[in-house]
Amino acid sequence: MQVRLDSVGDCAEVFVALERKGCWGTVKARLTPDLADAFTTLRSAERPKVPTLGIDITLLSTALMQWLARAKRRTAVALGSRAMEADAIQTMACF
């Protein structure tokens, strides 16, 4: 079965069309588990869980990258290494 969408509409309309045609189970089975879970959550209008671990890791890595960039910069100045100084600038720009 194929579901044709003539215009871009709301996600809910797509899910309703898939269920009406009886092919939502087939679509869900072919998706990766995470993507299928995301679509199911959208369909049921559940509130997403806040990924506190991901937020914590992001904040920690931002602080560590700033510290690492400063340490590289100090080491580059002490050694007189322009290559390491460029690396420190790149580390600061990448976070």
Side-chain angles (χ1 to χ4, degrees), residues 34-47:
D34 292 335
L35 194 54
D37 184 43
F39 279 122
T40 304
T41 302
L42 277 174
R43 189 170 125 247
S44 66
E46 289 179 25
R47 302 268 312 156

PDB file of all heavy atoms in Angstrom, residues 34-47:
ATOM      1  N   ASP A  34      14.695   3.759  17.482  1.00  0.00           N
ATOM      2  CA  ASP A  34      14.628   5.117  18.035  1.00  0.00           C
ATOM      3  C   ASP A  34      13.716   6.007  17.215  1.00  0.00           C
ATOM      4  O   ASP A  34      12.946   6.793  17.752  1.00  0.00           O
ATOM      5  CB  ASP A  34      16.025   5.733  18.111  1.00  0.00           C
ATOM      6  CG  ASP A  34      16.899   5.050  19.135  1.00  0.00           C
ATOM      7  OD1 ASP A  34      16.340   4.463  20.079  1.00  0.00           O
ATOM      8  OD2 ASP A  34      18.126   5.098  18.994  1.00  0.00           O
ATOM      9  N   LEU A  35      13.822   5.911  15.902  1.00  0.00           N
ATOM     10  CA  LEU A  35      12.984   6.726  15.035  1.00  0.00           C
ATOM     11  C   LEU A  35      11.528   6.308  15.154  1.00  0.00           C
ATOM     12  O   LEU A  35      10.631   7.154  15.189  1.00  0.00           O
ATOM     13  CB  LEU A  35      13.461   6.600  13.580  1.00  0.00           C
ATOM     14  CG  LEU A  35      12.925   7.608  12.589  1.00  0.00           C
ATOM     15  CD1 LEU A  35      13.163   9.031  13.058  1.00  0.00           C
ATOM     16  CD2 LEU A  35      13.554   7.390  11.236  1.00  0.00           C
ATOM     17  N   ALA A  36      11.286   5.027  15.249  1.00  0.00           N
ATOM     18  CA  ALA A  36       9.923   4.539  15.431  1.00  0.00           C
ATOM     19  C   ALA A  36       9.358   5.048  16.753  1.00  0.00           C
ATOM     20  O   ALA A  36       8.196   5.466  16.820  1.00  0.00           O
ATOM     21  CB  ALA A  36       9.894   3.014  15.392  1.00  0.00           C
ATOM     22  N   ASP A  37      10.186   5.053  17.797  1.00  0.00           N
ATOM     23  CA  ASP A  37       9.745   5.564  19.089  1.00  0.00           C
ATOM     24  C   ASP A  37       9.427   7.061  19.007  1.00  0.00           C
ATOM     25  O   ASP A  37       8.444   7.527  19.582  1.00  0.00           O
ATOM     26  CB  ASP A  37      10.820   5.304  20.146  1.00  0.00           C
ATOM     27  CG  ASP A  37      10.377   5.717  21.535  1.00  0.00           C
ATOM     28  OD1 ASP A  37       9.216   5.425  21.884  1.00  0.00           O
ATOM     29  OD2 ASP A  37      11.187   6.314  22.256  1.00  0.00           O
ATOM     30  N   ALA A  38      10.239   7.801  18.265  1.00  0.00           N
ATOM     31  CA  ALA A  38       9.993   9.237  18.102  1.00  0.00           C
ATOM     32  C   ALA A  38       8.665   9.479  17.390  1.00  0.00           C
ATOM     33  O   ALA A  38       7.883  10.339  17.791  1.00  0.00           O
ATOM     34  CB  ALA A  38      11.141   9.878  17.333  1.00  0.00           C
ATOM     35  N   PHE A  39       8.410   8.725  16.320  1.00  0.00           N
ATOM     36  CA  PHE A  39       7.148   8.887  15.593  1.00  0.00           C
ATOM     37  C   PHE A  39       5.952   8.488  16.463  1.00  0.00           C
ATOM     38  O   PHE A  39       4.917   9.134  16.439  1.00  0.00           O
ATOM     39  CB  PHE A  39       7.148   8.067  14.306  1.00  0.00           C
ATOM     40  CG  PHE A  39       7.861   8.745  13.181  1.00  0.00           C
ATOM     41  CD1 PHE A  39       8.929   8.128  12.556  1.00  0.00           C
ATOM     42  CD2 PHE A  39       7.472   9.993  12.730  1.00  0.00           C
ATOM     43  CE1 PHE A  39       9.588   8.746  11.514  1.00  0.00           C
ATOM     44  CE2 PHE A  39       8.122  10.617  11.698  1.00  0.00           C
ATOM     45  CZ  PHE A  39       9.190   9.999  11.085  1.00  0.00           C
ATOM     46  N   THR A  40       6.104   7.424  17.232  1.00  0.00           N
ATOM     47  CA  THR A  40       5.018   6.989  18.114  1.00  0.00           C
ATOM     48  C   THR A  40       4.738   8.051  19.170  1.00  0.00           C
ATOM     49  O   THR A  40       3.582   8.338  19.482  1.00  0.00           O
ATOM     50  CB  THR A  40       5.375   5.650  18.782  1.00  0.00           C
ATOM     51  OG1 THR A  40       5.659   4.696  17.756  1.00  0.00           O
ATOM     52  CG2 THR A  40       4.248   5.142  19.646  1.00  0.00           C
ATOM     53  N   THR A  41       5.788   8.656  19.715  1.00  0.00           N
ATOM     54  CA  THR A  41       5.616   9.714  20.703  1.00  0.00           C
ATOM     55  C   THR A  41       4.918  10.914  20.086  1.00  0.00           C
ATOM     56  O   THR A  41       4.024  11.502  20.694  1.00  0.00           O
ATOM     57  CB  THR A  41       6.977  10.131  21.292  1.00  0.00           C
ATOM     58  OG1 THR A  41       7.596   8.983  21.867  1.00  0.00           O
ATOM     59  CG2 THR A  41       6.822  11.194  22.358  1.00  0.00           C
ATOM     60  N   LEU A  42       5.320  11.275  18.868  1.00  0.00           N
ATOM     61  CA  LEU A  42       4.648  12.382  18.184  1.00  0.00           C
ATOM     62  C   LEU A  42       3.171  12.078  17.973  1.00  0.00           C
ATOM     63  O   LEU A  42       2.307  12.938  18.155  1.00  0.00           O
ATOM     64  CB  LEU A  42       5.308  12.647  16.827  1.00  0.00           C
ATOM     65  CG  LEU A  42       6.553  13.509  16.810  1.00  0.00           C
ATOM     66  CD1 LEU A  42       7.144  13.537  15.419  1.00  0.00           C
ATOM     67  CD2 LEU A  42       6.243  14.915  17.278  1.00  0.00           C
ATOM     68  N   ARG A  43       2.908  10.862  17.571  1.00  0.00           N
ATOM     69  CA  ARG A  43       1.537  10.458  17.269  1.00  0.00           C
ATOM     70  C   ARG A  43       0.658  10.502  18.508  1.00  0.00           C
ATOM     71  O   ARG A  43      -0.505  10.879  18.451  1.00  0.00           O
ATOM     72  CB  ARG A  43       1.542   9.057  16.662  1.00  0.00           C
ATOM     73  CG  ARG A  43       0.209   8.643  16.121  1.00  0.00           C
ATOM     74  CD  ARG A  43       0.367   7.349  15.331  1.00  0.00           C
ATOM     75  NE  ARG A  43      -0.554   6.383  15.869  1.00  0.00           N
ATOM     76  CZ  ARG A  43      -0.252   5.288  16.511  1.00  0.00           C
ATOM     77  NH1 ARG A  43       0.995   4.965  16.693  1.00  0.00           N
ATOM     78  NH2 ARG A  43      -1.162   4.476  16.948  1.00  0.00           N
ATOM     79  N   SER A  44       1.212  10.130  19.647  1.00  0.00           N
ATOM     80  CA  SER A  44       0.412  10.088  20.867  1.00  0.00           C
ATOM     81  C   SER A  44       0.416  11.425  21.620  1.00  0.00           C
ATOM     82  O   SER A  44      -0.258  11.555  22.621  1.00  0.00           O
ATOM     83  CB  SER A  44       0.931   8.987  21.796  1.00  0.00           C
ATOM     84  OG  SER A  44       2.226   9.312  22.243  1.00  0.00           O
ATOM     85  N   ALA A  45       1.177  12.386  21.138  1.00  0.00           N
ATOM     86  CA  ALA A  45       1.270  13.728  21.732  1.00  0.00           C
ATOM     87  C   ALA A  45       1.791  13.688  23.171  1.00  0.00           C
ATOM     88  O   ALA A  45       1.404  14.497  24.007  1.00  0.00           O
ATOM     89  CB  ALA A  45      -0.065  14.452  21.655  1.00  0.00           C
ATOM     90  N   GLU A  46       2.673  12.746  23.472  1.00  0.00           N
ATOM     91  CA  GLU A  46       3.295  12.684  24.796  1.00  0.00           C
ATOM     92  C   GLU A  46       4.336  13.785  24.926  1.00  0.00           C
ATOM     93  O   GLU A  46       4.942  14.197  23.952  1.00  0.00           O
ATOM     94  CB  GLU A  46       4.020  11.348  24.986  1.00  0.00           C
ATOM     95  CG  GLU A  46       3.133  10.162  25.136  1.00  0.00           C
ATOM     96  CD  GLU A  46       3.948   8.885  25.299  1.00  0.00           C
ATOM     97  OE1 GLU A  46       5.112   8.956  25.747  1.00  0.00           O
ATOM     98  OE2 GLU A  46       3.430   7.817  24.960  1.00  0.00           O
ATOM     99  N   ARG A  47       4.545  14.244  26.136  1.00  0.00           N
ATOM    100  CA  ARG A  47       5.602  15.220  26.391  1.00  0.00           C
ATOM    101  C   ARG A  47       6.940  14.483  26.396  1.00  0.00           C
ATOM    102  O   ARG A  47       7.057  13.409  26.982  1.00  0.00           O
ATOM    103  CB  ARG A  47       5.400  15.895  27.744  1.00  0.00           C
ATOM    104  CG  ARG A  47       4.092  16.600  27.910  1.00  0.00           C
ATOM    105  CD  ARG A  47       4.075  18.033  27.560  1.00  0.00           C
ATOM    106  NE  ARG A  47       5.177  18.770  28.133  1.00  0.00           N
ATOM    107  CZ  ARG A  47       5.611  19.893  27.602  1.00  0.00           C
ATOM    108  NH1 ARG A  47       5.039  20.380  26.536  1.00  0.00           N
ATOM    109  NH2 ARG A  47       6.612  20.550  28.135  1.00  0.00           N
TER     110      ARG A  47
END
